[in-house]
Amino acid sequence: MQRSQMLRGGASRPVLNRATAPASPMAHLLDAGVLPQQQMMQAGKLSSHALTSQYLARIRSLCSIGARAYAGIEINPDALKIALEMDRERQGHKVRGPLHGIPVVLRDNIATGDRMKTRTQSPLATHAGCDSFVAARLRAAGAVIIGKSNLRQWAAVSVPHASASWAGLTILAVDSAADGSIVAPASNCGLVAIKPTGRAAAGQGGEPATAGPMAPSVREAAWLFAALSGECLADGMVFDAAGLHGRRIGVARHLFGQCAGTDAVIGQALLVLREQGAELIETPPAPGPGGIAALLCSHELDALVGPTCHGVAQAQCALPQITVPAGVVGGLPVGLSFIGAAHGDLPLIAMAYAYEQATLHRRTPALPSSITQALRLP
């Protein structure tokens, strides 16, 4: 669905409404980000158990406003037990990394070898016999898998409240690249999302071919990406405010034209890229599948940029793509997409980080009172 259709249909209105759920005294910390949470835990002022408990309380509160609890989000019955174990490790001076003790929500087609169900291509959800690669990597990084969110919530890009991370149910989430459902909903929800370089086909047992992070910032998304991929993030190379300087960046004009307001926001983003030292190149439309890869190569581009929209990831499934908040149109966030060559994920993260630091467009949204109704849409 195009943004103009979403706005005409009134999709922006719930974003402006305040939640009727009772506010938690820790609400500011739940939305503050991974770094403040880790700093609090390191200082002994917060535990993973307490943090996980607060997110669980928020999930139950938001999903039961005015009606019975909604089953679209399955809570991990072992979440508090895992959080307690992460606290014990921290007390023993073992910290696995920046995700240690941090709650994460998964899309429910990502298999977990626990008491939660996994929904793959079969009609009914089943219990997986073991963790998928994604779940195993997250557990090894010390993340607390707090629950799963169903396929409809993630893929329904026409519902701008579909992202579990945006809704405040957790600070981090992992989605799989089905129907462009990593970057498109994240853009509509004012989040950063990374669709990494993907495999050509799904893994065993229906495991998705590509899984990527959603997070409030590029740094947090990159931490989650590193946990999933095993990539080593060198702060001076990846998190560099000058990461756009000298980059050749193509402008994907074929992604424009769906909404005049969005085009105007992305036009301002292009000015920022140029101010940050990037060289902008006007490029012709990418000719069919594989066209973007050919365009990047033939014009010697470091990346292609344009408004984040539904469908780019479908046609170019092997290429990495990152969306970063670029502004707001009619109450809905707009994302700027960076698309790079296969296996060029880290340079793409560096460019996205530099843009984010130059603009800082992202704002923590008010939790909409209609979130439960939005999630229940068929």
Side-chain angles (χ1 to χ4, degrees), residues 76 82 96 112-114 131 134-143 145:
N76 185 358
I82 297 169
R96 303 188 187 195
T112 53
D114 51 25
D131 278 345
V134 169
R137 295 288 307 191
L138 289 172
R139 294 193 203 277
I145 300 175

Side-chain angles (χ1 to χ4, degrees), residues 190-214:
L191 291 170
V192 173
I194 301 173
K195 189 201 79 64
T197 299
R199 301 196 303 268
Q204 296 181 349
E207 183 180 347
T210 304
M214 290 180 174

Side-chain angles (χ1 to χ4, degrees), residues 302-326:
D302 294 298
L304 204 64
V305 297
T308 303
C309 61
H310 196 63
V312 175
Q314 292 174 296
Q316 310 292 337
C317 60
L319 303 183
Q321 181 179 356
I322 302 176
T323 183
V324 183

Side-chain angles (χ1 to χ4, degrees), residues 14-331:
V15 179
L16 305 178
N17 297 329
R18 292 282 175 178
T20 56
S24 163
M26 286 184 64
H28 68 288
L29 185 59
L30 298 186
D31 300 323
V34 173
L35 185 58
Q37 291 170 354
Q38 286 290 2
Q39 290 171 337
M40 291 280 287
M41 285 192 279
Q42 190 63 29
K45 298 178 181 179
L46 177 69
S47 67
S48 176
H49 186 276
L51 185 64
T52 302
S53 296
Q54 290 297 317
Y55 278 121
L56 289 173
R58 178 181 277 187
I59 290 171
R60 293 188 178 103
S61 178
L62 288 173
C63 291
S64 60
I65 296 172
R68 295 174 300 174
Y70 176 61
I73 298 171
E74 182 182 7
I75 293 174
N76 185 358
D78 299 318
L80 291 176
K81 178 181 177 182
I82 297 169
L84 193 60
E85 180 59 32
M86 293 302 101
D87 287 333
R88 292 195 182 105
E89 287 191 5
R90 188 181 295 273
Q91 291 168 2
H93 305 289
K94 178 183 178 180
V95 177
R96 303 188 187 195
L99 301 185
H100 189 106
I102 301 296
V104 178
V105 166
L106 305 184
R107 184 164 167 172
D108 70 355
N109 64 344
I110 299 175
T112 53
D114 51 25
R115 291 190 281 170
M116 291 188 292
K117 292 181 178 180
T118 299
R119 190 178 302 276
T120 55
Q121 297 174 352
S122 60
L124 298 176
T126 59
H127 292 282
C130 62
D131 278 345
S132 63
F133 176 81
V134 169
R137 295 288 307 191
L138 289 172
R139 294 193 203 277
V144 178
I145 300 175
I146 197 173
K148 289 186 177 181
S149 183
N150 72 29
L151 297 174
R152 174 172 51 79
Q153 285 176 249
W154 294 91
V157 69
S158 61
V159 180
H161 318 302
S163 163
S165 181
W166 177 87
L169 305 184
T170 183
I171 201 70
L172 299 176
V174 176
D175 191 13
S176 59
D179 302 325
S181 60
I182 296 179
V183 295
S187 172
N188 286 340
C189 299
L191 291 170
V192 173
I194 301 173
K195 189 201 79 64
T197 299
R199 301 196 303 268
Q204 296 181 349
E207 183 180 347
T210 304
M214 290 180 174
S217 72
V218 174
R219 184 182 292 270
E220 290 160 327
W223 283 340
L224 196 46
F225 164 78
L228 296 173
S229 66
E231 293 275 7
C232 180
L233 301 179
D235 278 8
M237 295 180 62
V238 178
F239 305 127
D240 181 5
L244 285 165
H245 188 76
R247 297 290 188 177
R248 284 175 54 86
I249 296 179
V251 180
R253 292 291 178 188
H254 64 284
L255 299 180
F256 288 68
Q258 296 188 12
C259 173
T262 297
D263 290 351
V265 167
I266 300 304
Q268 291 299 311
L270 297 179
L271 294 178
V272 173
L273 296 178
R274 185 175 283 115
E275 290 169 358
Q276 296 300 308
E279 179 186 359
L280 298 187
I281 312 295
E282 294 290 338
T283 60
I292 289 182
L295 205 61
L296 290 166
C297 181
S298 63
H299 287 73
E300 298 182 340
L301 300 176
D302 294 298
L304 204 64
V305 297
T308 303
C309 61
H310 196 63
V312 175
Q314 292 174 296
Q316 310 292 337
C317 60
L319 303 183
Q321 181 179 356
I322 302 176
T323 183
V324 183
V328 176
V329 174

